[in-house]
Amino acid sequence: MPPLSSPADTDLLPLTLWQPPADLIGVFTDIDDTLTTDGAITPDALDALHALRRAGLAVVPVTGRPAGWSEPFAASWPVDAIVAENGAVAMVRQPEATSQGAGPAEPPDAVRVYPMGPEGPVLAKIYQQDAATRSAQYTRMQEVLAAIERDIPGARRATDSAGRECDIAIDHSEFVQLPQPAIDAVVQRMRAEGMHATVSSIHVNGWYGEHDKLTGARWIVRALFGRVLDAEIGRWVYVGDSTNDQKMFEAFPHSVGVANIARFVPQLAHRPRYVAQGERGAGFAEVARAILQRQR
């Protein structure tokens, strides 16, 4: 897919017109097809994460990916935390300090995990919902997942489903190519079952509860830094690429799409303010360079 060549292509402003805030606190970012390219983080995107952290900025990926999938990246990437499953769960390094201060006290149901082995970094896995609620909803969601696979031709659960605790996911573009009518049918079925449903660049995610990427961002800012996101949202940036980023695009004055967002623009009720010239990890690195030039 060619990069967007001008704001006229989508009514989005090119990143060259963006003025990042000089008093920036941090960056939220999607992962799949925003930080990653063909399923892996590229050296330029990883270098960008390191550079942002060296500049003293908070960095928090927010993803629809599951907790289990996210754990090794929370332990190895230079980030303050990863918020997974569209806001339901977060992995926070313990006990080392984050870029904005000490990590949060672990709540009673926090789970300690060691994704790199017993000698590696320790993560505190924290949740927005209590354990009893998660357990009841998990059972209900598995029934919906099985019914979708049975009733919608071609629908298959995402290969990372074993690591999911608070949502379900149907693959539409990672290892399975699901046509748009089938994607729409999956979304409709999830919503008919009383679930929230959203479409990322690779999966259709469904869950019970009122969390989403935006509430997850508010939650982690409060838990990690003791701050109120809405009171300072103009000092944060969000970078994303698909329809499940819409609430973030709507809320953040400084929102940026990487160029491959062109695929989803016709479906977006809320678009990012700006668009990078580069796609995926290269686009994220472009955003980071614009931020760091402003910080000098």
Side-chain angles (χ1 to χ4, degrees), residues 157-186:
R157 68 188 64 196
T159 58
D160 62 13
S161 291
R164 294 185 178 277
E165 301 180 36
C166 303
D167 79 347
I168 57 174
I170 295 293
D171 187 347
H172 71 74
S173 291
E174 187 175 25
F175 301 106
V176 173
Q177 294 301 310
L178 205 59
Q180 190 61 49
I183 294 172
D184 295 341
V186 171

Side-chain angles (χ1 to χ4, degrees):
M1 180 186 303
L4 303 176
S5 60
S6 75
D9 289 327
T10 61
D11 297 327
L12 305 181
L13 296 172
L15 194 64
T16 53
L17 298 181
W18 181 42
Q19 286 292 321
D23 59 349
L24 189 68
I25 295 171
V27 177
F28 286 102
T29 178
D30 176 57
I31 293 180
D32 284 295
D33 294 318
T34 300
L35 274 181
T36 64
T37 303
D38 296 327
I41 192 166
T42 49
D44 55 349
L46 187 59
D47 288 347
L49 292 177
H50 280 288
L52 292 169
R53 287 295 299 272
R54 286 195 298 269
L57 299 173
V59 180
V60 181
V62 185
T63 180
R65 286 283 196 175
W69 182 94
S70 302
E71 287 169 7
F73 304 116
S76 61
W77 289 354
V79 298
D80 291 88
I82 292 180
V83 179
E85 302 191 28
N86 287 293
V89 55
M91 277 62 62
V92 183
R93 279 205 195 190
Q94 301 289 314
E96 66 186 36
T98 71
S99 66
Q100 295 290 316
E106 295 181 24
D109 67 343
V111 176
R112 286 202 153 208
V113 292
Y114 303 81
M116 313 300 285
E119 303 303 318
V122 181
L123 301 179
K125 187 162 56 174
I126 60 176
Y127 301 88
Q128 289 221 57
Q129 298 170 322
D130 62 53
T133 299
R134 297 197 306 272
S135 178
Q137 292 179 347
Y138 181 85
T139 299
R140 190 176 171 194
M141 288 188 297
Q142 297 313 299
E143 296 170 353
V144 175
L145 180 60
I148 289 172
E149 290 183 306
R150 182 189 66 231
D151 297 339
I152 300 177
R156 296 292 181 268
R157 68 188 64 196
T159 58
D160 62 13
S161 291
R164 294 185 178 277
E165 301 180 36
C166 303
D167 79 347
I168 57 174
I170 295 293
D171 187 347
H172 71 74
S173 291
E174 187 175 25
F175 301 106
V176 173
Q177 294 301 310
L178 205 59
Q180 190 61 49
I183 294 172
D184 295 341
V186 171
V187 170
Q188 291 167 7
R189 182 61 176 270
M190 289 177 175
R191 290 176 178 169
E193 297 289 346
M195 306 178 78
H196 293 278
T198 189
V199 181
S200 76
S201 63
I202 55 173
H203 295 158
V204 184
N205 296 90
W207 66 92
Y208 293 109
E210 296 310 310
H211 56 273
D212 54 34
K213 283 192 171 185
L214 181 56
T215 64
R218 290 170 174 147
W219 167 58
I220 201 65
V221 166
R222 182 174 63 251
L224 203 59
F225 309 131
R227 308 175 78 120
V228 178
L229 177 60
D230 288 351
E232 56 190 19
I233 200 164
R235 297 173 61 196
W236 292 80
V237 173
Y238 183 71
V239 190
D241 77 305
S242 66
T243 56
N244 77 333
D245 297 310
Q246 288 189 91
K247 286 196 173 183
M248 302 293 269
F249 292 152
E250 180 184 18
F252 283 72
H254 297 283
S255 60
V256 183
V258 289
N260 45 291
I261 199 172
R263 171 187 175 188
F264 293 101
V265 162
Q267 304 169 42
L268 293 177
H270 301 288
R271 300 174 178 181
R273 272 63 169 177
Y274 301 90
V275 63
Q277 192 72 16
E279 296 188 348
R280 300 177 173 84
F284 181 84
E286 184 182 336
V287 175
R289 286 194 297 272
I291 289 170
L292 295 170
Q293 287 170 2
R294 178 68 168 167
Q295 298 293 307
R296 291 172 184 162

